[in-house]
Amino acid sequence: MSMAVRKKRISTADITALKGERPIVCLTAYTTPIAKLLDPHCDLLLVGDSLGMVLYGMTNTIAVTMEMMIAHGQAVMRGVERGCVTVDMPFGSYQESKEQAFRNAARIMKETGCDSVKLEGGEEMAETIHFLTTRGIPVMGHVGLMPQQVNTAGGYRSLGRTEAEADKIRRDALAIGQSGAFSFVLEGTIEPLAREISAAAPVPTIGIGASPACDGQVLVVDDMLGVFTDFKPRFVKHFASLAPVISKAVEDYAEEVKARTFPAQEHTFQMKKQPI
Ligand code: KIV
């Protein structure tokens, strides 16, 4: 029998237990090599449906499919030894009924081996989350700005500045906090509301554009690495500027190929020397 010891993976219960202990570190990941780089530093890796925009150049996340989420979920799982992995349920895969949600969530869990799924929605999704979590599927919620509702919300903007908006987010957060979700993303909302919700929620809030008052933070990895530079929302910080580094490397490569200085001798295979 092999004596190889597998590293202990962080579970969804471990994530919940971090509330009040220390901030939870989360980033999106979509591929094996990036997952390998993030894994030693992140508690949670989120295979977000933002991949539709980040990897596939879509204008929003509506057209993202189950097949895309499963393929990228599998890729991320191949790169992870310790982080807890959550895979987003794409638009249209869970809103119809709790049975549809269970079928698709179970498929994601079985085919990727991930630890949990995430779905967007407030009060209207609480019953579905309860249905999934009482049947063996850990769920992360997502309230506040919900990108899958872009067409009914009339675009992307931070929410909670009016009493009506704040009240809706408060009710949504309360419902998701009590639904059985192990944590929930709180996206695009003002600091006092994020503080109030995080203090009241029984599970961790993972903020994006929702202030340091949240129990953890998530960013889209291409945003924080400065790979995606078409625009920079206020809540994004570039921890690196990789776009110009990549451009320069490709420019140098093109020049060397044209000048025949690449490949050089050390990159070239030759016949073996014959013994005399
Ligand atoms: O799809 C995604 O990447 C997300 C995070 C930004 C929270 O939902």
Side-chain angles (χ1 to χ4, degrees), residues 28 30 46-51 61 88 118 120 142 147 185 187 206 208 218-220:
T28 68
Y30 317 113
L46 171 64
V47 187
D49 63 350
S50 51
L51 61 79
T61 58
D88 253 343
K118 173 165 86 59
E120 295 181 12
H142 185 150
V185 167
E187 178 163 358
I206 310 293
I208 175 162
V218 58
L219 280 177
V220 168

Side-chain angles (χ1 to χ4, degrees), residues 6-132:
R6 283 183 67 84
K7 281 193 193 155
K8 186 180 173 297
R9 296 272 311 283
I10 298 171
S11 68
T12 55
D14 294 333
I15 297 294
T16 305
L18 281 173
K19 187 176 174 87
E21 293 295 318
R22 65 156 173 83
I24 295 160
V25 181
C26 180
L27 282 172
T28 68
Y30 317 113
T31 63
T32 307
I34 293 291
K36 277 187 185 164
L37 291 170
L38 305 191
D39 191 41
H41 309 287
C42 290
D43 303 307
L44 256 177
L45 284 85
L46 171 64
V47 187
D49 63 350
S50 51
L51 61 79
M53 300 162 86
V54 176
L55 299 187
Y56 292 87
M58 296 171 171
T59 51
N60 58 44
T61 58
I62 301 301
V64 172
T65 63
M66 282 286 290
E67 284 66 31
M68 288 159 82
M69 295 313 302
I70 287 170
H72 289 281
Q74 290 169 340
V76 167
M77 285 303 293
R78 283 181 209 117
V80 165
E81 286 188 351
R82 63 176 282 283
C84 183
V85 177
T86 297
V87 176
D88 253 343
M89 298 194 70
F91 179 69
S93 70
Y94 61 92
Q95 291 92 342
E96 194 179 319
S97 66
K98 46 193 198 306
E99 289 79 11
Q100 181 212 25
F102 184 85
R103 210 165 34 250
N104 284 318
R107 185 176 162 210
I108 290 173
M109 301 279 298
K110 279 171 183 263
E111 294 185 28
T112 67
C114 71
D115 304 286
S116 58
V117 297
K118 173 165 86 59
L119 56 84
E120 295 181 12
E123 287 180 298
E124 75 287 1
M125 292 311 300
E127 196 189 334
T128 296
I129 295 178
H130 179 73
F131 190 82
L132 300 190

